[in-house]
Amino acid sequence: MDVFSKIDLNNTPKHIAIIMDGNGRWAKKQGQERLYGHSIGVESVREALNACKRLGVKYLTLYAFSTENWNRPKEEVDGLMNLLVQTIANEVDDLNKNKVRFVTIGNEEGLPESCKEELRAAKKATEKNDDIYLILALNYSARWEITNAIKNIAIKVNQGEIEPNLINDELVSSFLTTANYPDPELLIRTSGELRISNFLLWQIAYSEFHFTDVLWPDFKEEDLFKAVLDYQSRERRFGQTSEQLT
Ligand code: IPE
Ligand code: IPE
Ligand code: MG
């Protein structure tokens, strides 16, 4: 039986987040430059998106560039930004065909002007689609996001618009760049690294984690299905006992 047919389609995550990792190592194994790995990684984005569509997943968040990634060699950073601009321009028609709504999270202000323009255009061009959200985390870091939220809440408190006693989970969530999306039920990281690297720290409080050794450019639809099967084998207790759930 293939992996897809083992999945219970009534119990799929609404939101899957992926830390796409391992492009550099994949390229090195092929005797190629790191940027070649990033460009082949674009095909895996298509695979993940198609797999999510087949499962009826409503939100797919992809960690594409972290705030810390600015510390990479300039050549790689420039290459990644160019790849981003080109890929988005190339993909908009297909996104529309597949009714994908393209959005981003992160500190967009800090991106090069050419990127910002392309991003704005792609968001606008896909804003009417509602089959699935493709949420690209760009210049994103969870600590930046949380710090920013605290700052903005403090400003509103100062202006008398927010009563400090009324600050709760929900209010904090509404100040994050993910305010319009539910928390991911499933977080996947490829390439065998067992860490979060400053991704969605607030939102993954109760996410299930799936780590795979597969390097991102090798990631196929079937790998996403395997992750969802793994997710379906978990008992999500949210602090309760197993007995309470049954
Ligand atoms: C992930 O692959 C892509 C980005 C962080 C942009 P890496 O570039 O981190 O690949 P490795 O981890 O060096 O193999
Ligand atoms: C995390 O991967 C960021 C993205 C996938 C965009 P990294 O490869 O940058 O993470 P570290 O540095 O190994 O933790
Ligand atoms: Mg990496």
Side-chain angles (χ1 to χ4, degrees):
M1 205 154 80
D2 69 299
V3 192
F4 179 77
S5 53
K6 291 184 191 157
I7 293 175
D8 172 4
L9 293 175
N10 295 313
N11 179 31
T12 50
K14 278 196 184 61
H15 185 173
I16 297 178
I18 308 182
I19 302 174
M20 311 183 285
D21 199 11
N23 295 350
R25 277 163 283 169
W26 183 89
K28 196 170 179 189
K29 280 209 312 197
Q30 322 278 318
Q32 300 271 3
E33 298 293 322
R34 294 178 58 83
L35 274 172
Y36 178 67
H38 296 313
S39 66
I40 301 298
V42 174
E43 186 50 43
S44 300
V45 172
R46 281 191 208 102
E47 293 272 335
L49 192 58
N50 285 339
C52 283
K53 273 210 83 174
R54 283 179 68 187
L55 294 172
V57 172
K58 195 81 193 167
Y59 305 90
L60 172 64
T61 299
L62 300 175
Y63 203 4
F65 193 86
S66 74
T67 310
E68 288 77 16
N69 288 147
W70 293 113
N71 296 323
R72 293 191 177 194
K74 184 176 184 305
E75 192 188 69
E76 180 168 350
V77 171
D78 291 349
L80 276 166
M81 293 299 149
N82 285 335
L83 180 66
L84 178 71
V85 172
Q86 273 168 23
T87 305
I88 292 171
N90 288 341
E91 297 294 317
V92 167
D93 284 351
D94 268 2
L95 292 176
N96 273 330
K97 241 178 258 157
N98 291 309
K99 298 197 170 60
V100 180
R101 178 155 184 193
F102 174 77
V103 291
T104 59
I105 54 172
N107 186 0
E108 204 173 307
E109 276 311 300
L111 291 168
E113 207 49 54
S114 59
C115 283
K116 283 192 273 192
E117 260 167 49
E118 207 58 58
L119 293 172
R120 268 194 293 270
K123 287 181 199 175
K124 184 93 189 108
T126 63
E127 71 184 353
K128 299 234 156 59
N129 301 336
D130 63 357
D131 266 23
I132 180 167
Y133 280 81
L134 174 61
I135 306 167
L136 214 55
L138 281 173
N139 195 16
Y140 177 88
S141 110
R143 287 189 172 182
W144 163 81
E145 178 179 50
I146 294 168
T147 307
N148 204 41
I150 293 171
K151 228 182 275 172
N152 289 328
I153 293 171
I155 290 170
K156 295 231 181 248
V157 167
N158 242 341
Q159 295 168 340
E161 288 174 40
I162 292 177
E163 166 66 42
N165 284 329
L166 298 182
I167 298 174
N168 57 14
D169 267 30
E170 221 179 300
L171 183 119
V172 174
S173 295
S174 75
F175 276 80
L176 301 175
T177 56
T178 51
N180 297 326
Y181 322 116
D183 291 341
E185 295 95 329
L186 171 61
L187 172 71
I188 300 170
R189 183 172 190 147
T190 58
S191 87
E193 304 298 353
L194 306 179
R195 57 176 172 267
I196 300 301
S197 304
N198 215 349
F199 192 41
L200 302 178
L201 294 180
W202 173 275
Q203 298 86 342
I204 58 174
Y206 264 107
S207 304
E208 298 295 330
F209 291 0
H210 175 87
F211 294 102
T212 168
D213 288 336
V214 172
L215 302 173
W216 182 249
D218 287 330
F219 192 89
K220 299 280 177 272
E221 281 191 43
E222 181 167 298
D223 296 297
L224 190 129
F225 296 149
K226 283 184 191 160
V228 171
L229 258 191
D230 184 21
Y231 164 81
Q232 293 186 337
S233 74
R234 313 280 177 85
E235 185 180 63
R236 308 190 71 210
R237 289 192 287 277
F238 300 99
Q240 293 188 295
T241 67
S242 196
E243 290 69 27
Q244 281 178 295
L245 298 173
T246 48

